[in-house]
Amino acid sequence: LPARTTQDGIYVLSAAFQDITGQGATAYNGAVSWGATSSSSPMRMSVGEDSKVYVCDWSDAHPGVWVMDPASPSSAFKPVFDGLTKATNGLSTFNGVNIHGSISHCYSMGTGDNTRLYTFDEDYVNETATNAGNLLQYNIGTLSSPYQSAPTVIYNDILNGNLQQNFNSCIAPDTRGGWWISQYRAADAATIPSLIHVNTSGLVDFNSGNTPTLIENSYHGGMAVNAEGTKLAMGCSNELKIFDVKFNEAGIPALTKLHSIKPALGVNTTGLSFDRAGNIYAVSYSDKRLGVWALPKANNSFTTPAPSAQKIMVVISDIKEITDPSELVNVYPNPAVDYINIESKGVEIESYTLYNLKGQLLFNELIINNRTKLSTGMLQPGVYVLKIKTAAGIAVKRIIKK
């Protein structure tokens, strides 16, 4: 591909790396005054369930998150936060209340009024989260006006031993209600690890530094998890490591290295992302390159998910596969608050998927067992469709989240 002299902002490419909008070397900057002298302005981006692009800024001079509409890439980006008082370290307040600081990564879930923004924040503290380096949640909804309220602390670093000290970090949901958090480390150590997993209670139950030969280092903190939550990628020293993710019955994860891509793009892998087909994309901070790799798979094909209306038809079709779903599996408690137990009756559970009533896929996990636990803590109250594949057929249950 021809090289470009890039600028601060967003570049739009097809899956074949084609310049499909004809922007050339000119970035879509959203009419935002990004910090021209700062390599962390803008920093990283993610695509939300609402198909919007969320761009974060890790610089002290220009911290925050902006939202781009990919259907109109040349339009101005909408600021999530505005009208705040900013300190020199990036900590921004409204009427004396801390709102956010410098943000190294962000992730969006939900749509419409239920849209939630998650950030890894270098500066934010409050009366209980007294250390910087926390994972925060903002219920931004439709963002009809800038967000000016204190967030909910999802991961409180001080309660977990002050593990986050570099702050060049990536975050990714585990599809079970917990989170993965990486950070830039030249050498993995239990006191300041390259990677942790945070459960639904906000407590660390996996620390890569306890097995320092697993990841070894995480130059610039690049990390991603696939849509199913079954694979995790880490950017290491000129190497991409792809891990298999397995959770035991207690919900504690374990990583097993599947693939090593070496040499990769250079020592500083800033960003990683899986597409829905399972391909892995990487960007290098120092070498300023973008690359994509197709991982080995038995079936080298992918079916793009259907529109919501067609997904609902698929769910109805699955219900007809068995006469009485309760003969295969038991799901309880239902209604649920924090979790749901899924137990089979004499057959192995192979996988489960959870949909909302719009037919949108929320969770998807492969299991070879006769029981598992599905975290519902991050779901909004309402009705959901749970599809459970067993060795004897497919059961579909309607569950209620209180």
Side-chain angles (χ1 to χ4, degrees):
L1 296 176
R4 304 191 206 183
T5 302
T6 56
Q7 305 166 345
D8 290 333
I10 300 294
Y11 288 86
V12 181
L13 303 173
S14 70
F17 284 7
Q18 297 167 324
D19 180 10
I20 56 174
T21 65
Q23 66 184 115
T26 303
Y28 296 115
N29 62 22
V32 179
S33 298
W34 304 107
T37 61
S38 173
S39 59
S40 54
S41 176
M43 184 61 180
R44 294 185 175 99
M45 54 173 279
S46 63
V47 179
E49 291 181 35
D50 56 4
S51 298
K52 299 294 193 298
V53 179
Y54 292 77
V55 186
C56 70
D57 194 312
W58 190 38
S59 66
D60 292 341
H62 190 252
V65 177
W66 284 260
V67 185
M68 171 191 181
D69 182 358
S72 181
S74 59
S75 298
F77 300 173
K78 179 184 292 187
V80 174
F81 311 105
D82 205 2
L84 308 181
T85 301
K86 183 183 68 64
T88 56
N89 69 344
L91 183 62
S92 301
T93 62
F94 184 74
N95 291 338
V97 176
N98 291 347
I99 308 300
H100 73 85
S102 303
I103 297 168
S104 62
H105 200 200
C106 60
Y107 200 99
S108 175
M109 293 184 183
T111 61
D113 291 336
N114 294 323
T115 304
R116 306 174 305 282
L117 176 69
Y118 297 86
T119 68
F120 187 86
D121 196 295
E122 178 179 1
D123 309 294
Y124 179 86
V125 292
N126 63 17
E127 62 278 3
T128 57
T130 55
N131 266 12
N134 300 300
L135 174 60
L136 310 177
Q137 174 183 330
Y138 300 87
N139 297 328
I140 62 174
T142 58
L143 204 62
S144 56
S145 60
Y147 195 93
Q148 298 175 330
S149 301
T152 299
V153 178
I154 302 299
Y155 168 77
N156 185 341
D157 189 53
I158 191 66
L159 297 182
N160 288 277
N162 189 21
L163 301 177
Q164 303 299 304
Q165 297 186 34
N166 181 273
F167 311 125
N168 187 353
S169 301
C170 289
I171 58 176
D174 65 1
T175 74
R176 301 165 59 95
W179 288 85
W180 294 97
I181 305 175
S182 68
Q183 67 178 321
Y184 179 6
R185 303 306 303 153
D188 208 356
T191 53
I192 313 177
S194 294
L195 180 69
I196 61 173
H197 179 265
V198 180
N199 63 22
T200 55
S201 298
L203 300 177
V204 172
D205 57 13
F206 173 90
N207 179 324
S208 65
N210 290 326
T211 313
T213 58
L214 186 69
I215 292 173
E216 298 180 290
N217 51 60
S218 51
Y219 282 84
H220 268 260
M223 182 270 296
V225 175
N226 68 349
E228 296 77 22
T230 57
K231 288 185 176 63
L232 182 146
M234 287 289 298
C236 303
S237 180
N238 200 19
E239 178 181 12
L240 301 183
K241 294 184 179 181
I242 314 297
F243 298 93
D244 175 67
V245 181
K246 285 284 194 304
F247 290 84
N248 64 18
E249 290 190 0
I252 298 174
L255 300 184
T256 303
K257 191 168 79 169
L258 295 175
H259 311 291
S260 172
I261 301 171
K262 185 177 183 179
L265 296 176
V267 296
N268 297 316
T269 304
T270 306
L272 289 169
S273 182
F274 284 94
D275 64 16
R276 288 302 303 272
N279 302 308
I280 183 71
Y281 294 73
V283 291
S284 168
Y285 169 81
S286 57
D287 293 72
K288 297 178 174 60
R289 290 189 292 166
L290 167 67
V292 59
W293 291 266
L295 301 180
K297 59 181 66 174
N299 179 17
N300 194 25
S301 64
F302 178 74
T303 302
T304 302
S308 299
Q310 291 181 332
K311 285 185 181 178
I312 294 174
M313 292 174 64
V314 171
V315 172
I316 294 172
S317 172
D318 287 336
I319 293 174
K320 296 177 182 179
E321 292 186 28
I322 57 176
T323 303
D324 185 1
S326 65
E327 293 180 359
L328 294 178
V329 293
N330 189 24
V331 175
Y332 67 93
N334 191 12
V337 177
D338 298 316
Y339 65 89
I340 287 177
N341 290 305
I342 306 172
E343 295 182 355
S344 69
K345 299 181 179 180
V347 294
E348 285 188 342
I349 298 173
E350 297 177 3
S351 65
Y352 71 78
T353 49
L354 183 70
Y355 299 85
N356 61 23
L357 290 185
K358 294 181 180 179
Q360 296 169 321
L361 176 64
L362 304 179
F363 297 149
N364 184 5
E365 184 176 10
L366 299 176
I367 301 168
I368 302 297
N369 209 331
N370 62 359
R371 63 178 298 174
T372 189
K373 181 178 288 188
L374 166 61
S375 173
T376 59
M378 296 182 67
L379 294 177
Q380 296 295 314
V383 179
Y384 298 84
V385 177
L386 180 63
K387 173 179 162 183
I388 306 135
K389 183 180 180 182
T390 75
I394 298 175
V396 177
K397 300 272 190 176
R398 280 181 174 256
I399 63 172
I400 299 173
K401 166 65 190 299
K402 287 185 176 179

